[in-house]
Amino acid sequence: MDKILEAVVMSSYPNNVKQGLVRRVIEAAKQPMDSEQCWSMLELSTKLYLTGDTKYKREIGKEVLEVYGHYHPEEFEEFFNVRFLLSLLQEGYGPLGKRSHYVLDYIQLGLQFVLESPSANSIFSLLRIEVLRKVCERPSPKQCAKISKLLTQHPQCIPTGKHQLLFCQQLIRCIGQFQCVSEGEDEIMEFLEQVNKVSGLLQRIWRTQTSAILPSLKELFTIISSTEEQEAPSNALASVVQFVPLELMDGVIRNLTNDDSITDVQMMMAIGRMIDWVSWPLGKNIDKWIIALLKGLAAVKKFSILIEVTLSKIEKVFSKLLYPIVREGALSVLQYMLLSFQHSHEAFHLLLPHIPRLVASLKKEDSNSATSSLEQLAELIHCMFFRFSGFPDLYEPVLEAVKALPIPNEDRIKHLLGQNAWTSQKNELASFYPRLASKSETGKIGLINLGNTCYMNSIIQSLFMASDFRHSVLNLTEGNSQPLMTKLQWLFAFLEHSQRPAISPESFLSASWPPWFTPGAQQDCSEYLKYLLDRLHEEEKTGKRIYQKLKESSLMSQAVEHHYLNKTLIEKMFGGKMMTKIRCLKCLNVSSREEAFTDLSLAFPPSDRNMHGSTSVLPVEEIGPQFNEPPENAGQLMGSPWVQRKAPMASDHAAPSVSVETLGFQEPGEAANPIGGDGVGVDAAKDPLSTFREQACSPKDSRSVPDLINYFLSPERLTAENKYHCEKCASLQDAEKVAELTEGPHYLILTLLRFSFDPRTMKRKKILDNVSIPVVLKLPILVAPEETEEVCRRGKDGAVPGSGFTTVVYDLCSVVVHSGISSESGHYYCYSRECTDTVPHGQPRDGGPKPASDKQLDFEIQWYLFNDTRVSFSSFESVSNVTSFFPKDTAYVLFYRQRPGRQSCLLHEALAEAGRLHGEPSLHKDLMEAISKDNILFLQEQEKEARNRAAYISALPKSPLWWRDLDRDKDDDSSSGGCSPAAGGGGSGSFHGLVF
């Protein structure tokens, strides 16, 4: 009968004819027959099943075997013996070099017919040993899946005792070497099925033998933490972790993170490879294990590992949000990585270029998964905006992408940041500030934040960019009479000459620290600035004079020396004078007092006060050093600064005004307004006090710096509880107080009083009004009549006889921005540019400095954005628009530099002369040596860090193609399936990119 069957199978008859003949042979095989005939048929069916070159032949072999197993059990058991199986497993079946791949399938098929036979136990014992041997030989995923299928169906064949533990460990090593060699979707699905069969076997073993779990996990960790030069273990290992009971998680993580035998390099390798598992599409709880290990490392303060792994892997994790099948787990890991990485903006900033594209892709997908992910992603982004404010140039495209998505409230943001931080002790992360390999492309140097010290950093950078002040500080002679000024000199010198991308101002912070400031807490930068300038001023008053060097070198004339020798550097650079006059409304007696100031604190007008005119208050054009009511005897005020003050009637001519004039931002190509007497289109012959009004008004319902200055200079009525004690009347009387600027400082500092006390909450609240900032500002300065005539005779400053005021022009050079809603929190950063009297660098000189034109000041002088360690190029447009994009980011402290004019000509000429003779300030020997040594030390530190980092990350699994997930064409209509970035899309290529 075996000959007939073989002849039929090998014949050239059509398959339907063959099938009929085979059916007859099989039916005949159900009848009793002798042992020899059965043996022959079993040999033939074995041959067909194991070596058949077509599926048809193997199916016939299988069918015959099943018939003989059912109807001739004794002969089948005799044939299917231990010796035969051992030969199959160890030697294989078929010609050498063409051994059959179906041996395990054959054994699984035959086992069902010998389960009750006397030889069953011998067969099981053999298979327990042989499957362990097979697994140790690292079979392919397909063969490993066959072993798993065999053992799942026949658990009696699973190794026991110590062999079972070894079997689990070797099976995990097999999974670690699994690789999918094809990019076809069908092949990938087959590969995933094979992996699931193998990991499913482990799950079955662990359920019955829980003692095997921890040794198995130890083997898994050994594989993923290996630093040897070899191919990275397969992401299929993720399928193993999903079956580990979550109740074991805490103990496993605690043991791992406290094991001293595990090096940092091994731990970083392991967590890095685990993070790669987020791309495994069928895993469960993988994100929970990854996050648990990250938290465990934070608990034992392994911050260097967390930083390296986060920075190297976060972009890859982010790219997996494109794929619905792994999106949930990837988003969980991303959320923890970002929310825990709070010491630096590095991780978040790596994602900024990719966020708009991802948001667009998720919106296009239009699925529940995409919508939910978009909302969570927007919440995450706003948390990062809150934590790392001060990067408007980087955040604008991202803000535009998520503007239509919900914004979490501040309590929710603080909750998320609070519960995910690696540590509550900020000083523990002080040494892990972002590594900057080289200086900013701007050539400027940043300042390291020492724990909420951005308020100091922004002030220091603003002072440093005040070039006249910087040069004066750097020109200081060596001495011990001014210790704080000396520290500032060293800090400025390092900012000027260091090779580091950012330096630490720790020494200067400790020296300039106001004693009432709380360490580690956010402070008011304006308060710090006032304290700093006052300290420097008082220190110099009791020590050497800063211009001693200029005196000795005879750079200053005796007249100039006499004029300035009695002033400190702070007075010369930032000091101005203001006359405060109070007039009794009963006797009309006027008392006056002149005071020095280093900054003007500008309050916001009450909300019920219209800056542009109303029936109850004079319009802005009328605000100035005038009174609301005329004196009883007008003749008393002839020749005095007091003039009639009332709301003009429709038929009246406009009363003279003392307002602030500005030159707004001009587009390139527009004619710049002249600076002289006809500034801003004003006739030179006109009184400057009556022409300021045209520029002082800002658009309706908005504020401007001139508005606030005009409000500051406007008369104040002293009545009721605030009455004035008149010495002449010897009693309390109604009065009016007015302030007049009598000397403009070289650098005008304006503080916008944005923080007001709220008695309801007992806290200082912030005024978030947007205030437009002019790039050029003209201030009215009161001068003596004889000075006015001299100015007019010389044709300077636009003053005219009899006006009593002259115009002083200021150029904006720094803007300190506060980001946040409270003075006790938030962040400071600053925009700065370097205003000088000379033409921009690169333009020819004709022997002396030239005044810079409006256009040069507006457009040719580069703006910079200083945000702690980060320094970048910026523009005045960014300065003007920052609050429009980020409502909590508002201008707070402004620095203006006075252009050369009557009041400042002596100082300007002295500074310019010193600059021509000396060029860049020459530093004393000790300071130059300190900078040189530190630059050498920095280079050595870079070399050492490069070596250490190379040792840390050289063996990290590489992900060179992760960005293709984001760059791939989302409109490819030729793809099909459910694993693509967009719903209903995703070809085989994109699927392969996802998993592997």
Side-chain angles (χ1 to χ4, degrees), residues 476-487 489-490 539 544 924:
L476 277 171
T477 54
E478 190 174 3
N480 299 320
S481 59
Q482 301 177 60
L484 183 58
M485 184 68 82
T486 301
K487 286 186 180 294
Q489 181 190 43
W490 278 63
E539 186 179 84
K544 288 185 178 181
H924 58 78

Side-chain angles (χ1 to χ4, degrees), residues 8 175 371 429 445:
V8 170
I175 297 174
T371 302
L429 285 164
I445 297 175

Side-chain angles (χ1 to χ4, degrees), residues 319-320 326 449 563 620 930 958:
S319 70
K320 299 310 169 189
V326 297
N449 190 313
H563 185 80
V620 65
K958 303 299 188 295

Side-chain angles (χ1 to χ4, degrees), residues 342-568:
Q342 293 186 29
H343 71 288
S344 160
H345 56 258
E346 282 181 288
F348 178 51
H349 285 191
L350 286 174
L351 305 181
L352 294 180
H354 315 302
I355 290 175
R357 283 181 289 172
L358 177 68
V359 171
S361 178
L362 292 178
K363 287 180 178 178
K364 182 179 178 182
E365 182 180 316
D366 193 26
S367 66
N368 291 335
S369 168
T371 302
S372 173
S373 297
L374 273 174
E375 292 177 355
Q376 293 179 67
L377 182 62
E379 182 177 71
L380 188 58
I381 290 169
H382 283 289
C383 286
M384 294 298 98
F385 283 167
F386 181 86
R387 180 64 188 85
F388 305 114
S389 57
F391 301 91
D393 51 334
L394 296 180
Y395 292 168
E396 284 179 16
V398 177
L399 191 66
E400 181 68 21
V402 301
K403 65 181 181 181
L405 298 171
I407 300 175
N409 60 44
E410 188 168 335
D411 289 340
R412 170 66 175 167
I413 290 174
K414 289 181 177 178
H415 171 72
L416 290 172
L417 291 171
Q419 72 177 9
N420 288 286
W422 286 338
T423 173
S424 60
Q425 305 300 317
K426 295 180 180 179
N427 60 328
E428 292 181 342
L429 285 164
S431 61
F432 296 104
Y433 207 82
R435 297 174 305 276
L436 300 171
S438 59
K439 270 189 182 181
S440 158
E441 62 180 353
T442 64
K444 303 295 183 183
I445 297 175
L447 290 169
I448 294 174
N449 190 313
L450 302 173
N452 278 331
T453 58
C454 54
Y455 67 90
M456 177 187 71
N457 291 350
S458 58
I459 291 300
I460 290 175
Q461 294 286 19
S462 298
L463 292 175
F464 178 80
M465 292 297 286
S467 55
D468 298 331
F469 178 65
R470 178 178 76 245
H471 289 156
S472 298
V473 171
L474 293 176
N475 273 319
L476 277 171
T477 54
E478 190 174 3
N480 299 320
S481 59
Q482 301 177 60
L484 183 58
M485 184 68 82
T486 301
K487 286 186 180 294
L488 183 62
Q489 181 190 43
W490 278 63
L491 182 57
F492 278 5
F494 272 82
L495 285 174
E496 185 100 346
H497 300 287
S498 177
Q499 293 301 311
R500 295 181 182 273
I503 60 175
S504 170
E506 185 174 4
S507 176
F508 188 77
L509 172 65
S510 61
S512 63
W513 182 275
W516 60 90
F517 276 15
T518 304
Q522 185 61 275
Q523 305 294 343
D524 188 328
C525 76
S526 173
E527 186 178 3
Y528 174 77
L529 175 61
K530 288 182 175 70
Y531 176 78
L532 174 62
L533 296 182
D534 185 60
R535 277 277 309 277
L536 292 171
H537 168 69
E538 292 298 327
E539 186 179 84
E540 187 179 351
K541 279 177 64 177
T542 59
K544 288 185 178 181
R545 292 292 179 255
I546 196 65
Y547 275 79
Q548 188 65 36
K549 184 175 181 180
L550 293 177
K551 175 185 175 183
E552 293 172 355
S553 58
S554 300
L555 291 178
M556 301 178 72
S557 66
Q558 290 186 354
V560 173
E561 179 185 333
H562 177 75
H563 185 80
Y564 283 101
L565 195 55
N566 293 325
K567 284 192 172 185
T568 66

Side-chain angles (χ1 to χ4, degrees), residues 124-137:
F124 295 156
S125 297
L126 170 69
L127 290 175
R128 291 186 195 112
I129 296 172
E130 284 302 306
V131 294
L132 177 58
R133 182 185 63 79
K134 280 281 187 185
V135 168
C136 290
E137 292 175 353

Side-chain angles (χ1 to χ4, degrees), residues 251-423:
V252 170
I253 298 299
R254 189 164 52 250
N255 289 338
L256 280 178
T257 54
N258 289 281
D259 189 341
D260 293 335
S261 66
I262 300 174
T263 67
D264 285 358
V265 175
Q266 290 174 319
M267 183 62 77
M268 188 171 68
M269 189 68 63
I271 186 61
R273 286 168 172 163
M274 284 182 66
I275 290 173
D276 286 343
W277 293 351
V278 297
S279 50
W280 187 256
L282 301 176
K284 297 177 181 177
N285 299 327
I286 294 172
D287 56 321
K288 293 182 175 65
W289 280 95
I290 294 172
I291 293 171
L293 183 52
L294 291 172
K295 288 182 176 179
L297 291 172
V300 295
K301 305 190 188 325
K302 295 286 187 179
F303 301 128
S304 58
I305 298 176
L306 292 167
I307 290 170
E308 290 291 351
V309 169
T310 300
L311 295 179
S312 64
K313 295 295 180 182
I314 196 165
E315 289 175 283
K316 184 174 183 180
V317 173
F318 182 81
S319 70
K320 299 310 169 189
L321 298 183
L322 288 167
Y323 303 96
I325 198 170
V326 297
R327 183 176 293 153
E328 183 179 356
L331 185 56
S332 295
V333 174
L334 179 72
Q335 285 174 322
Y336 179 76
M337 291 175 82
L338 276 182
L339 290 172
S340 62
F341 203 93
Q342 293 186 29
H343 71 288
S344 160
H345 56 258
E346 282 181 288
F348 178 51
H349 285 191
L350 286 174
L351 305 181
L352 294 180
H354 315 302
I355 290 175
R357 283 181 289 172
L358 177 68
V359 171
S361 178
L362 292 178
K363 287 180 178 178
K364 182 179 178 182
E365 182 180 316
D366 193 26
S367 66
N368 291 335
S369 168
T371 302
S372 173
S373 297
L374 273 174
E375 292 177 355
Q376 293 179 67
L377 182 62
E379 182 177 71
L380 188 58
I381 290 169
H382 283 289
C383 286
M384 294 298 98
F385 283 167
F386 181 86
R387 180 64 188 85
F388 305 114
S389 57
F391 301 91
D393 51 334
L394 296 180
Y395 292 168
E396 284 179 16
V398 177
L399 191 66
E400 181 68 21
V402 301
K403 65 181 181 181
L405 298 171
I407 300 175
N409 60 44
E410 188 168 335
D411 289 340
R412 170 66 175 167
I413 290 174
K414 289 181 177 178
H415 171 72
L416 290 172
L417 291 171
Q419 72 177 9
N420 288 286
W422 286 338
T423 173

